[in-house]
Amino acid sequence: ASSMVSPVERKNVLVVEDHLANQKLMLAMLQSIGYHVECACNGQEAVDICVNRRYDIILMDCNMPIMDGWNATQTIRSERGLNFPTPIIAVTANAMKGDREKCLSAGMDDYITKPVNKKKLKDLLSKWSERVQIDERSQSMTPQEDRSGGSSRANVPLTV
């Protein structure tokens, strides 16, 4: 029976979002797709949680109080801890030219705009879940230090 369980059902997602209504919406969408979801209210909370807990995917709002998503992502990447290789997807209302590049230069792996469409979210998560599974299969052959995947993990100073 365990072989019948969809791989998505075992995926743990951290949603980093300061607005409760958006948190609830993301939680409902992700749970309906089959993900296990935890939430953080700001970037600092996400950084603190990520020290002790490994996630399969992190959905990171960009504009938040205390610590924004760009700085939280840079911190998670620079600490090279449990979530260093975890795909971090920006979730933002900003859809202007240059916003995607700003997210990628902060160390985020992808980008989705608000309001979040469930089908687009599901497709994006499927894409990154497949990449995580490939990474996990190749992990035994490659030292952890060399799994950075290239430029998306570079610690690039961010100008805000």
Side-chain angles (χ1 to χ4, degrees), residues 61-124:
D61 185 21
C62 293
N63 294 299
M64 295 178 288
I66 303 172
M67 180 186 282
D68 64 38
W70 300 289
N71 286 314
T73 299
Q74 286 184 317
T75 303
I76 290 166
R77 297 296 188 221
S78 68
E79 289 179 352
R80 301 184 70 86
L82 290 174
N83 290 283
F84 174 77
T86 302
I88 299 178
I89 300 169
V91 183
T92 181
N94 299 334
M96 296 177 56
K97 189 172 177 10
D99 286 330
R100 187 173 201 280
E101 292 72 23
K102 183 178 180 182
C103 292
L104 296 177
S105 72
M108 295 172 174
D109 297 283
D110 216 328
Y111 180 94
I112 190 169
T113 55
K114 294 176 185 176
V116 175
N117 169 292
K118 186 176 175 181
K119 185 188 180 326
K120 283 184 184 174
L121 180 64
K122 186 176 181 177
D123 292 346
L124 192 63

